Amino acid sequence: MAGKTDYHVDLAQALVLKAPAAADYLVVAPLVIGFLFGAICLMSRKNTDRQPYIAIAGLVLMLAADLGLFWHVWQNGTVVMTMGRWLPPFGITFAADMLGATFALTAGIVGLAGGVYALRDVGRTGRRYGFYPFLLLMMAGVTAAFLTGDIFNLYVWFEVLLISSFGLLILGSEREQLDGATKYAFLNLIATTLFLLAVAYLYGTFGTLNMADISRKAAKMRETGPLFTIAVLFLFAFGMKAAAFPVNFWLPASYHTPRIVVSALFAGLLTKVGVYALLRVFLMLFPVERDMLAGTIAIIAGATMVLGAMGALAQNDIRRMLGYLVISGIGMMLAGLALGSETGLTGAVFYAVHSMVVMTALYFLAGIVGRRMNGFSLATAGGLYSQAPWLAGIALVLLLSVSGLPPFSGLWAKVYLVKASLDVGAWWLAFSILLTGLLTTIAVGRTFAFSFWRERQADDGEGSEAPAGTSGFVTASLVALTALTVAAGLYPEPLIQVSDRIASELLAPAGYVDTVFPPQGPQQTEVQSQQ
């Protein structure tokens, strides 16, 4: 017997019924742009002359989206978008707070600089074998990792950026590249396996993978769930990806093997994703476990920074020296995580942004120096000051900045970290930071003296210039990044304000959680359906 029945279906309990604001789409715009332009470059792989400009157009749009997202978050707070209209934790959430937006913006700047530099560093063969599609895929993976609100999707985006980084690493298929790629792939496979195991334990404990949902449930699970074990697994997995001691030996064994522009992008971006993951997981999901592991993290930080600087001092190859400086910088960021104070986290975030820009610029500089010297060995270096005084000036700025000397951006982060260490009585950590600065100054001073001040014998090729060594594209990329470290050193207040806000948000994740799960609950809109 058929009849007419009225009933109400409250879709608001599961679905987003209100259309998001247009500006909220900026959360996913960089990802969409990266994949779209990467696909276009892949379809244009036979047109090696047009492909770079398609890629650069995509990188410009990604940077514009990152800039718009940063401004939107700065003005309005954390921005959340959940895929498929499902409410969290049912749908996959993208959430941009100041930490994610700042790292994404810095990554966009570095990625665009790398794309421009590659116009002369990557030839037609490299383009035909997929440099630009791999670059755009990697940029999409890096940016999405900074913006995802789901721990499993953080794993997914790690895989996306790692797959693309493998392609970039072996571009050229030289014996040295394949050897470096093997070490890189094996160690990252171990880290990825540990990451996946930690995610499985996390889901088995909480029944959810939404980071905001885990954060609000963690306090009730500490009596029954193995949260400390999960936290240790994450520390080991992300520490390996960030190249922290004692699982950092893969980085100096692989970063010197690919093309300079690839090494520069790896140094500027990939290890910072590991640092971002440590900050996000330990300060939002496991703050209590972070307190328990603070001493261990501090020891790891001290060993990473000091041994990294000592490794740089021992190198005779400029590229290998820079690889150890990347490791040393990771120790600085981990020191802020270990301290866990607002001052310490401000220093860690400031240093991360500084390192993204300066390490990329240093590799660009190394590429120009290597072309002019026909190699990267300090044993045969010399005479560059007479060839290019302007290059010596840029080199001095970048080398002073990475050493943490005034008046450049590296100074302020170390000031904050030393102050935070002394505030809690961790004098040995403050000493480690200062010792690292001294060792780094000696290492880079030696490099500068050998490359620029020392005379070079005529039979070593003094006065010869490689065709692409000082092209306009290469110079523009290097000068732009150098200008950023000078600006951040002379006028650090804007970056300090951003870093302060990030530190405050990390220490009070309730604001992030409340944006994903509003306290008033889901919308109460009802939709009437008749049958």
Side-chain angles (χ1 to χ4, degrees):
M1 176 174 158
K4 184 176 180 181
T5 304
D6 293 336
Y7 61 92
H8 297 284
V9 178
D10 188 6
L11 296 178
Q13 296 296 327
L15 296 176
V16 178
L17 301 181
K18 183 180 179 182
D24 290 353
Y25 284 98
L26 289 169
V27 180
V28 295
L31 171 63
V32 174
I33 294 169
F35 277 118
L36 177 61
F37 278 82
I40 295 173
C41 282
L42 190 61
M43 291 185 289
S44 306
R45 64 187 181 278
K46 293 183 180 179
N47 192 331
T48 56
D49 293 329
R50 182 185 304 170
Q51 188 185 99
Y53 299 99
I54 296 173
I56 289 174
L59 291 169
V60 169
L61 290 176
M62 287 184 73
L63 177 57
D66 291 330
L67 183 60
L69 178 62
F70 175 85
W71 184 252
H72 185 35
V73 174
W74 178 260
Q75 294 294 320
N76 304 299
T78 302
V79 180
V80 175
M81 177 172 283
T82 304
M83 302 299 101
R85 294 179 60 203
W86 290 101
L87 286 173
F90 307 111
I92 297 172
T93 299
F94 279 79
D97 61 353
M98 280 307 302
L99 175 64
T102 301
F103 276 32
L105 175 59
T106 311
I109 294 170
V110 168
L112 178 58
V116 174
Y117 188 96
L119 287 170
R120 289 296 178 266
D121 192 57
V122 178
R124 291 185 176 181
T125 301
R127 297 171 188 175
R128 187 165 56 250
Y129 286 124
F131 171 81
Y132 281 105
F134 281 133
L135 171 60
L136 286 161
L137 182 63
M138 187 186 76
M139 291 303 303
V142 167
T143 305
F146 292 147
L147 301 178
T148 186
D150 184 283
I151 192 72
F152 181 75
N153 277 275
L154 180 61
Y155 164 80
V156 170
W157 297 122
F158 261 113
E159 291 305 291
V160 169
L161 67 91
L162 284 174
I163 290 170
S164 55
S165 67
F166 293 155
L168 291 170
L169 195 59
I170 64 172
L171 205 65
S173 300
E174 298 176 3
R175 179 183 295 272
E176 187 181 43
Q177 291 176 318
L178 295 176
D179 178 66
T182 301
K183 299 170 184 175
Y184 178 86
F186 180 73
L187 269 299
N188 274 281
L189 178 62
I190 295 175
T192 297
T193 303
L194 290 172
F195 185 8
L196 192 58
L197 285 173
V199 170
Y201 274 120
L202 198 67
Y203 184 73
T205 302
F206 290 93
T208 180
L209 294 170
N210 184 284
M211 287 192 276
D213 200 23
I214 294 170
S215 178
R216 66 178 186 169
K217 292 179 177 178
K220 300 177 182 178
M221 300 297 297
R222 286 197 168 87
E223 298 298 326
T224 57
L227 300 196
F228 185 79
T229 301
I230 297 172
V232 171
L233 282 173
F234 277 124
L235 176 61
F236 198 84
F238 293 145
M240 183 176 290
K241 289 183 177 295
F245 177 84
V247 286
N248 54 7
F249 43 87
W250 61 268
L251 191 150
S254 58
Y255 271 28
H256 69 287
T257 60
R259 297 176 184 275
I260 280 293
V261 66
V262 175
S263 297
L265 292 169
F266 283 12
L269 299 178
L270 296 194
T271 53
K272 309 311 181 294
V273 181
V275 171
Y276 166 85
L278 285 168
L279 292 172
R280 177 69 71 199
V281 168
F282 276 93
L283 293 168
M284 192 168 96
L285 274 59
F286 302 118
V288 174
E289 289 69 26
R290 189 218 66 85
D291 292 341
M292 298 167 65
L293 289 166
T296 301
I297 298 173
I299 293 172
I300 293 172
T304 302
M305 68 176 80
V306 173
L307 293 178
M310 292 176 66
L313 190 59
Q315 298 308 307
N316 197 43
D317 184 285
I318 296 175
R319 296 169 300 172
R320 286 183 177 271
M321 188 261 308
L322 293 178
Y324 280 99
L325 291 184
V326 173
I327 293 173
S328 180
I330 297 301
M332 295 288 179
M333 301 169 218
L334 292 181
L337 175 63
L339 293 165
S341 63
E342 186 167 342
T343 303
L345 292 173
T346 297
V349 171
F350 196 115
Y351 196 93
V353 174
H354 147 83
S355 181
M356 284 182 175
V357 173
V358 172
M359 290 312 306
T360 303
L362 280 170
Y363 272 95
F364 288 174
L365 173 69
I368 298 175
V369 170
R371 286 186 179 91
R372 286 179 170 272
M373 297 192 311
N374 297 319
F376 297 94
S377 174
L378 292 178
T380 58
L384 290 183
Y385 181 81
S386 60
Q387 290 185 25
W390 65 270
L391 186 63
I394 291 177
L396 189 61
V397 168
L398 293 174
L399 295 175
L400 290 175
S401 184
V402 78
S403 301
L405 296 176
F408 306 111
S409 58
L411 169 69
W412 304 107
K414 291 188 177 182
V415 168
Y416 271 81
L417 290 170
V418 169
K419 182 180 185 303
S421 300
L422 296 177
D423 286 345
V424 297
W427 60 267
W428 66 271
L429 188 58
F431 175 76
S432 298
I433 295 169
L434 296 175
L435 177 62
T436 300
L438 175 62
L439 294 176
T440 302
T441 302
I442 296 172
V444 299
R446 172 175 172 264
T447 301
F448 184 83
F450 281 23
S451 300
F452 291 91
W453 284 351
R454 188 173 65 178
E455 292 296 329
R456 191 178 185 190
Q457 299 298 321
D459 59 356
D460 286 331
E462 183 179 1
S464 63
E465 293 187 22
T470 54
S471 73
F473 295 119
V474 169
T475 303
S477 299
L478 178 61
V479 170
L481 295 182
T482 304
L484 288 178
T485 189
V486 173
L490 297 177
Y491 185 53
E493 285 83 359
L495 185 52
I496 289 175
Q497 289 179 3
V498 171
S499 301
D500 279 338
R501 178 164 163 179
I502 291 172
S504 299
E505 291 181 357
L506 287 173
L507 292 174
Y512 179 103
V513 174
D514 289 345
T515 305
V516 179
F517 296 94
Q520 66 271 22
Q523 305 170 53
Q524 298 302 313
T525 305
E526 293 186 350
V527 177
Q528 186 180 52
S529 175
Q530 294 183 346
Q531 181 176 350

